[in-house]
Amino acid sequence: MTRWNRALRGALLTSALALVSAAQAQTANTLTISSPQDPGSWDPIDTFLVNWSAVANNVFDGLVARTPDLKIIPALATEWTISDDGLTYRFTLREGVTFHNGEPFNADAVKFSFERLLGEEGDKGPQKSNYNVIQSVNVIDPKTVELKLSRPDPVLLTKLTGYGAMIVPPAYIAEKGDDYFNTHPVGTGPFSMTSYTARDAVQLKAYEGFWGDKPKLENVTFRFITEPSTALAELQSGRVDMVIPPSVPIGSLPTIEADPKLGIVSTAGATVYSLRFNTRDGITADPKVRKALVMAVDRATINEAILAGQAKPIASFQSEQTFGNDPSLEAIPFDTAGAQKLLDEAGVKPGATLQIDVRGNDSTFNEVAQAVASYLSTIGITATIKPYETNVLLNDIIPAGRTGAMWQQTWGAWTFDYDNTAYLMYHKGERWNPYGNDPKLDALLESQRGMTNREEREKVLHEIARYVADQALEMPLYNLNQIYAINKRVKNFIAPPDSRLRLTDVTVE
Amino acid sequence: MAGFLIKRFLQAIFVVLCVTLLVAYAIRLTGDPALMLSQGAGSVTEADLARIRTGLGLDRPFYVQYLDFLLGLFTLDFGRSFLGGTPVRELIGRALPATLALAFASLLVSIVISIPLGIASATKRGRWPDQIIRVLSLIGLSFPNFWLAIMLVLVFSITLQWLPPSGMEGWQSFLMPALTMGIILTATNVRLVRTAMLETLQQQYVTVARAKGLSETIVLYKHALRNCAIPLITYLGIQFGGLLGGIVVVERVFNWPGLGTLAFQAVADRDYPVLQGVIVVLSLLIVVVNLIVDIAYGLVDPRIRTE
């Protein structure tokens, strides 16, 4: 027994020593980020996940890029012209750019990338439908490319800054094949991907031959951590330097703020929240009732009390930076007496019931829905909240028109153009519009799609927002910030509103 | 023995067939993976969705998809993940060792704690060590393992910063998940050891061993414990199945790169091939462990070997 005791004591001592070093200090020049989801493939045409962008925006470039303040700037193209009819885009390409494998970037690479996206390979993925308007890609000379469109697309330039429009290396893909490219992506961006372990982590390394300013970091690691609380624990223990949205719930902010090593960087994002109405059946088929319900809820108080100041009230279903947002549009005011009067006029008796469908895993919104329900009770409406598994709500309940009288709609219009929201929410037959059928609204929505004049189009978008507010098709709630939790040793980080991290300027101490 | 093994092998095939059929059918009720993949894509038309479904092979009738999956099993080809096309075999090949390592570490924790405690509880029956151990075991049975996991992380990762809160890197990362799983098992095992031990200690051969003047340690650990082993091994075998079930939750909390995390994500992503693959592997694992338990009886108890 004594022999064992001694061995045990020895083992305990070594473990104690090892434990002290277990919470390893992070090495300088390496940034570790927790991301909630592995997109599975890094091929730009395979995915539509925001979390793909967070990583891949460092690996790939498009012809143009979008800055954190949402300006479109030159990337692989140095300049461009758009014909008056909006059907021809001509790009002058940057010279001396190479892919991470050394392959030169030129007009042929651009042609290859778009033909791949719009051809057979693109058929297998979800990206193609976004770029359908591109009819052909013509190489004018090695540094000039022309895109021909079948009809004008006012947001095409924005679409060229991300996702499917990333430029990929033709020779590399021809040699290694598409499957290999999925897991070993090569682009022209500031970082190259050195290793990828599915569902676990991705390693990036600064690319020496990058065409722009050299990245200040040497290495970036993305770890896939699904549980927000686990990601937060990693941040608190110093093993992760940054947690990206949506893994920083409002409820975790006090914990982060209380830790002197940690900080919060947030910016107004694209994500907007509303409660939509079933405009076809039940009491909410009556616009008066819908207006009464909107009036009954004090949305400003909800923003302050539940959302910790990380949200802005909205009057239409879009964020402030969105093209088409009308700052002069005022939300239906909070007015309990007015709401009661409207309800009486509509003949709704006290004790009427309705159901609010929400995403069960969205704890913050569940609180918001509770608050809404209690406001509705002040005008005699009994609301019950029904939580669904997110995918079920999004893919089965809403599109099939099986919702309650109200349902949670969360939306991030990555193009920051109201068309990208309004058309999909309110046009007849669209997936997110299971009940609405309004020829007047449809005509408005269709009319702006062909317009090439920005001012004219903006006017129509304003009109759409006004019409929707007037009909009270939804209860617009708020625009939630994109919240990043960081270790304070991370410097020069500017939070992008669209999760597209570009880590060239970031440093760690 | 050969007849016995053949019978068990046929049983195993039947079990795996039933389980996969059930899972393949059930996951298809969760909804359309094409919708999942195109989420947020501008304006997705029915034609786009149909195109994606064809690409994934989902336009074929259910029985064709299922037979295709079964045929693949013979060549250990589980298909490819809908999310990015990684071969499922590759994903499982990485996750299975992680899960097994955690499962065995948990069993080890449980055995190391429960045997001495169970014996102490039995020998000190009715006195204060027994009372304390029984109360502790009741507490261990009563709290949910995810809660314990969160508490451990709070203390050892956040406050003390001794252990990594998630992931699998180095032996330190095993401590908290294995302890979480292990403690839940320990709670039941202590009681099992105690009961078995109480019964054994009343046997005449224990009295004989003591009368021979053997030390109490040898009497307890060599003579008595070995005779308690049969119910214990049976129970550990059964526990292993439950352990693999419980591991899903614990793996998620600790972001453990194992089968549980893989399955959990596959359900959320509607990734049929990955989920089917994981379930086949899990059910095979349970069948195999039960077989090992049956064989292990023979090793511990020569009487069963000869029967």
Side-chain angles (χ1 to χ4, degrees):
Chain A
M1 275 319 250
T2 45
R3 191 157 43 100
W4 276 106
N5 274 339
R6 211 174 300 145
L8 197 65
R9 225 175 289 153
L12 280 177
L13 193 67
T14 26
S15 348
L17 286 176
L19 277 175
V20 176
S21 61
Q24 336 97 313
Q26 292 284 350
T27 32
N29 272 323
T30 295
L31 179 70
T32 308
I33 299 174
S34 161
S35 170
Q37 193 183 16
D38 176 6
S41 164
W42 298 104
D43 188 334
I45 63 178
D46 277 353
T47 181
F48 219 113
L49 298 167
V50 172
N51 298 313
W52 175 87
S53 273
V55 177
N57 201 40
N58 293 293
V59 176
F60 293 105
D61 288 309
L63 292 173
V64 284
R66 189 166 68 184
T67 60
D69 51 0
L70 302 178
K71 297 222 164 54
I72 291 176
I73 57 163
L76 291 179
T78 50
E79 51 193 274
W80 57 91
T81 52
I82 303 170
S83 65
D84 290 339
D85 59 2
L87 292 176
T88 309
Y89 286 60
R90 183 183 275 241
F91 295 92
T92 308
L93 305 182
R94 194 178 291 277
E95 286 176 274
V97 176
T98 53
F99 288 97
H100 302 148
N101 63 336
E103 198 177 327
F105 159 79
N106 51 32
D108 290 329
V110 177
K111 186 176 168 68
F112 171 81
S113 299
F114 281 101
E115 285 180 350
R116 181 168 177 269
L117 164 69
L118 300 166
E120 227 171 86
E121 197 49 40
D123 274 349
K124 298 180 204 154
Q127 280 291 327
K128 184 181 179 176
S129 50
N130 266 306
Y131 301 91
N132 276 336
V133 293
I134 302 174
Q135 207 167 34
S136 65
V137 184
N138 306 318
V139 175
I140 307 295
D141 61 56
K143 49 170 283 193
T144 314
V145 174
E146 208 174 67
L147 302 184
K148 287 274 186 201
L149 274 52
S150 56
R151 57 184 160 79
D153 181 351
V155 287
L156 182 71
L157 210 53
T158 305
K159 289 177 183 171
L160 293 182
T161 63
Y163 293 114
M166 299 289 98
I167 305 302
V168 296
Y172 180 80
I173 293 175
E175 189 201 337
K176 306 275 188 177
D178 286 294
D179 284 340
Y180 187 82
F181 184 66
N182 283 348
T183 49
H184 299 80
V186 161
T188 55
F191 291 90
S192 63
M193 194 177 284
T194 49
S195 88
Y196 163 58
T197 316
R199 314 293 190 268
D200 182 36
V202 152
Q203 311 275 354
L204 307 184
K205 189 174 178 294
Y207 173 47
E208 283 299 316
F210 177 56
W211 53 267
D213 291 336
K214 301 277 170 294
K216 302 203 166 63
L217 290 164
E218 272 165 35
N219 302 291
V220 180
T221 303
F222 283 86
R223 289 178 54 197
F224 304 117
I225 303 176
T226 324
E227 268 302 305
S229 57
T230 308
L232 181 61
E234 287 282 340
L235 183 75
Q236 286 176 292
S237 70
R239 287 161 32 97
V240 151
D241 301 308
M242 188 189 294
V243 181
I244 64 172
S247 278
V248 190
I250 297 281
S252 70
L253 297 185
T255 315
I256 298 167
E257 278 159 356
D259 191 326
K261 294 193 308 297
L262 308 180
I264 289 176
V265 182
S266 70
T267 177
T271 317
V272 280
Y273 290 76
S274 74
L275 284 167
R276 307 267 310 273
F277 291 115
N278 178 346
T279 52
R280 191 187 62 197
D281 325 291
I283 54 170
T284 47
D286 183 345
K288 264 189 186 160
V289 176
R290 298 198 296 262
K291 217 170 265 179
L293 298 181
V294 178
M295 268 182 169
V297 177
D298 183 359
R299 287 160 293 150
T301 303
I302 290 180
N303 281 346
E304 282 161 32
I306 300 175
L307 304 166
Q310 293 287 350
K312 281 198 194 83
I314 50 172
S316 61
F317 199 40
Q318 56 188 324
S319 64
E320 261 176 24
Q321 320 97 306
T322 305
F323 180 74
N325 186 54
D326 182 357
S328 68
L329 180 67
E330 277 181 30
I332 298 176
F334 170 54
D335 176 3
T336 313
Q340 192 67 61
K341 197 165 152 256
L342 276 177
L343 271 194
D344 293 343
E345 278 173 35
V348 175
K349 301 264 177 309
T353 58
L354 58 78
Q355 179 185 307
I356 305 176
D357 297 345
V358 298
R359 301 183 184 184
N361 65 350
D362 186 340
S363 55
T364 310
F365 196 83
N366 274 271
E367 278 184 59
V368 171
Q370 295 284 355
V372 168
S374 66
Y375 276 115
L376 294 185
S377 70
T378 62
I379 54 166
I381 303 264
T382 311
T384 48
I385 294 165
K386 182 159 186 184
Y388 281 100
E389 202 256 312
T390 304
N391 285 323
V392 172
L393 181 66
L394 295 187
N395 296 324
D396 307 307
I397 302 297
I398 300 173
R402 286 162 51 201
T403 67
M406 298 167 87
W407 78 87
Q408 172 185 2
Q409 185 90 55
T410 299
W411 188 254
W414 66 279
T415 53
F416 286 92
D417 188 293
Y418 188 46
D419 167 71
N420 189 218
T421 306
Y423 197 93
L424 306 179
M425 296 292 147
Y426 315 121
H427 193 277
K428 181 178 179 246
E430 283 295 328
R431 183 172 147 67
W432 302 109
N433 182 25
Y435 307 112
N437 180 9
D438 184 338
K440 191 177 166 210
L441 186 53
D442 287 353
L444 273 175
L445 287 163
E446 285 156 21
S447 72
Q448 54 83 30
R449 282 214 153 171
M451 290 181 181
T452 46
N453 183 318
R454 254 179 95 82
E455 286 76 38
E456 259 177 60
R457 199 167 83 82
E458 192 169 26
K459 230 181 258 168
V460 180
L461 290 175
H462 286 180
E463 201 181 333
I464 292 169
R466 246 169 234 287
Y467 186 81
V468 169
D470 192 50
Q471 294 286 312
L473 297 183
E474 71 216 347
M475 179 188 292
L477 290 170
Y478 52 87
N479 168 212
L480 190 67
N481 283 350
Q482 289 279 93
I483 308 171
Y484 296 79
I486 60 164
N487 190 308
K488 284 182 181 155
R489 72 191 203 102
V490 178
K491 304 287 176 198
N492 299 330
F493 172 68
I494 299 169
D498 50 6
S499 282
R500 291 188 198 166
L501 301 175
R502 185 86 162 180
L503 300 163
T504 33
D505 292 336
V506 175
T507 56
V508 282
E509 282 174 351
Chain B
M1 195 66 179
F4 168 76
L5 282 179
I6 291 174
K7 206 172 110 194
R8 291 306 293 259
F9 182 70
L10 292 178
Q11 271 179 4
I13 291 181
F14 181 71
V15 167
V16 171
L17 270 182
C18 288
V19 172
T20 52
L21 188 61
L22 202 69
V23 168
Y25 184 72
I27 192 174
R28 280 168 173 80
L29 298 178
T30 63
D32 185 357
L35 279 177
M36 205 41 232
L37 286 176
S38 56
Q39 220 165 78
S43 196
V44 183
T45 61
E46 246 335 290
D48 292 327
L49 292 177
R51 193 162 46 72
I52 296 172
R53 278 186 214 117
T54 310
L56 298 175
L58 290 171
D59 53 340
R60 302 168 302 164
F62 173 68
Y63 71 90
V64 177
Q65 294 178 42
Y66 181 67
L67 284 179
D68 193 39
F69 164 68
L70 282 186
L71 285 178
L73 287 187
F74 286 105
T75 52
L76 276 184
D77 174 10
F78 296 97
R80 282 162 175 274
S81 162
F82 285 172
L83 208 68
T86 316
V88 176
R89 188 171 49 186
E90 213 179 290
L91 292 172
I92 290 179
R94 245 191 334 260
L96 179 62
T99 294
L100 285 182
L102 181 54
F104 283 116
S106 311
L107 277 181
L108 193 71
V109 166
S110 156
I111 291 170
V112 166
I113 303 177
S114 60
I115 288 182
L117 286 188
I119 291 176
S121 189
T123 51
K124 305 274 189 308
R125 183 186 185 184
R127 281 182 280 157
W128 64 266
D130 183 29
Q131 304 287 8
I132 291 178
I133 290 168
R134 276 161 61 191
V135 169
L136 283 180
S137 130
L138 189 67
I139 294 173
L141 272 178
S142 314
F143 56 69
N145 53 7
F146 66 87
W147 178 82
L148 178 62
I150 292 168
M151 288 303 123
L152 287 176
V153 169
L154 209 59
V155 175
F156 292 103
S157 300
I158 295 175
T159 312
L160 297 173
Q161 304 219 342
W162 285 356
L163 297 172
S166 77
M168 184 178 80
E169 32 186 312
W171 60 269
Q172 296 99 332
S173 57
F174 276 82
L175 293 180
M176 289 194 295
L179 203 64
T180 309
M181 294 301 299
I183 282 187
I184 308 290
L185 298 179
T186 302
T188 34
N189 287 348
V190 166
R191 299 185 151 221
L192 201 72
V193 172
R194 180 180 180 272
T195 319
M197 209 57 181
L198 279 176
E199 203 179 305
T200 315
L201 285 178
Q202 279 160 16
Q203 300 293 325
Q204 284 175 349
Y205 56 78
V206 174
T207 322
V208 172
R210 280 184 179 139
K212 281 202 297 189
L214 294 178
S215 79
E216 192 62 16
T217 317
I218 293 194
V219 171
L220 288 177
Y221 284 86
K222 202 167 168 209
H223 292 252
L225 185 61
R226 187 159 178 183
N227 284 289
C228 298
I230 299 233
L232 211 58
I233 288 177
T234 322
Y235 196 70
L236 284 180
I238 299 170
Q239 269 186 339
F240 196 79
L243 186 70
L244 290 176
I247 242 170
V248 174
V249 178
V250 173
E251 277 192 3
R252 190 168 156 83
V253 175
F254 290 106
N255 210 43
W256 194 259
L259 292 175
T261 307
L262 199 58
F264 204 97
Q265 203 55 45
V267 174
D269 294 340
R270 298 184 179 174
D271 199 341
Y272 303 169
V274 172
L275 189 71
Q276 286 173 175
V278 172
I279 299 295
V280 168
V281 171
L282 281 181
S283 47
L284 267 179
L285 217 60
I286 291 172
V287 168
V288 168
V289 167
N290 280 318
L291 189 63
I292 292 175
V293 168
D294 286 348
I295 296 170
Y297 286 164
L299 298 180
V300 195
D301 188 345
R303 285 171 303 178
I304 296 180
R305 217 177 318 172
T306 50
E307 266 165 25

